[in-house]
Amino acid sequence: MKKNKLGVLGASGRMGQEILRCLEGQTKFEAFLGWSEREKETGYKHSVTRLDPELVDKVDVWIDFSSPDALTAAIPKISRSKKPIISGTTGLSDVQMKKLKSLATNCAVMWSSNMSLGIAVLMKTLEHLQMISDFDFQIEEFHHKHKKDAPSGTALSLQKKLEKVTQTTLPAPLSLRGGGVIGIHKVWAFGEEETLCFEHMALQRRVFARGALWAAERLLKKPKGFYEFGDLLK
Ligand code: NAD
């Protein structure tokens, strides 16, 4: 079976390298193109710091775990290939998100602040909190000390969903940074006589890399348009 050529934006980073490890021993994707800011060697077949058209045109599907500025810079270069793109980069401004979404007029685009199944299920579960919308809510998130954005993209997605469900404005998520924590998210609901807490803990970075590859497989079969992780679960 012919392997799909994978292009990874942010190839030398924590997530780019985790994807490379997930590709070992599988038959669906080839670690074809790795783009990063300055690293000469990323472990992908072609390690590049510039996205040249000859290589861009050969990529079958893109996965992006880079930075908001890097993604924005890459968009005009990769849009010519009209190939599906999965982006997990967080901290995008409204303008940057609009640019990513504009790609969807020509190809399939999926963006998710969190590529884990557990968070996808939690998102859906939050709909039940409509029954206790008079409670006080608070989202908490914990991440490693190298994380650039705060609150995390996942916390903001949870917040957006919860505000929609409860029709209220919630206090900003609380962010803690330290050590090597991959990612913990808690959704608190405080009543006068009881409290409820949902907690998701990512135990390994691999969960996000595998989620992105799972999404890539599905997005290759989807028509152009903008998708979220939950859309691919349906
Ligand atoms: P990292 O800092 O380890 O890696 C960033 C990568 O992007 C590096 O390869 C770097 O060279 C590249 N890069 C940065 N700026 C660049 C530029 N201007 N030009 C070219 N390349 C550039 O980060 P990470 O921990 O791998 O996370 C990357 C992103 O993915 C972050 O936004 C993070 O929040 C997000 N993330 C999302 C999920 C999810 O499930 N959606 C999971 C983990 C991380």
Side-chain angles (χ1 to χ4, degrees), residues 9-16 35-39 64-70 87-91 112-116 144 147-149 205 208:
L9 309 178
S12 67
R14 283 174 284 264
M15 285 305 302
W35 180 64
S36 50
E37 196 165 20
R38 56 182 82 90
E39 280 74 9
D64 159 58
F65 284 104
S66 57
S67 72
D69 288 346
S87 174
T89 295
T90 59
S112 174
S113 56
N114 194 301
M115 306 267 184
S116 74
H144 55 89
K147 184 159 178 66
K148 298 203 173 81
D149 51 329
R205 209 162 258 119
F208 307 124

Side-chain angles (χ1 to χ4, degrees), residues 26-46:
Q26 55 73 55
T27 54
K28 290 174 179 146
F29 296 102
E30 176 189 343
F32 181 71
L33 180 63
W35 180 64
S36 50
E37 196 165 20
R38 56 182 82 90
E39 280 74 9
K40 294 269 183 299
E41 186 46 65
T42 60
Y44 288 77
K45 187 172 177 187
H46 302 278

Side-chain angles (χ1 to χ4, degrees), residues 91-107:
L92 302 180
S93 67
D94 290 348
V95 173
Q96 287 167 326
M97 180 56 85
K98 221 171 150 184
K99 280 198 179 136
L100 177 64
K101 285 187 172 172
S102 73
L103 272 180
T105 51
N106 284 321
C107 61

Side-chain angles (χ1 to χ4, degrees), residues 38-94:
R38 56 182 82 90
E39 280 74 9
K40 294 269 183 299
E41 186 46 65
T42 60
Y44 288 77
K45 187 172 177 187
H46 302 278
S47 295
V48 298
T49 52
R50 277 179 35 162
L51 289 165
D52 288 329
E54 315 88 74
L55 283 177
V56 164
D57 288 349
K58 289 186 181 143
V59 168
D60 294 312
V61 57
W62 297 94
I63 293 183
D64 159 58
F65 284 104
S66 57
S67 72
D69 288 346
L71 173 62
T72 311
I75 284 174
K77 310 242 167 67
I78 64 171
S79 61
R80 52 176 282 126
S81 73
K82 297 189 181 171
K83 293 294 164 50
I85 171 161
I86 288 89
S87 174
T89 295
T90 59
L92 302 180
S93 67
D94 290 348

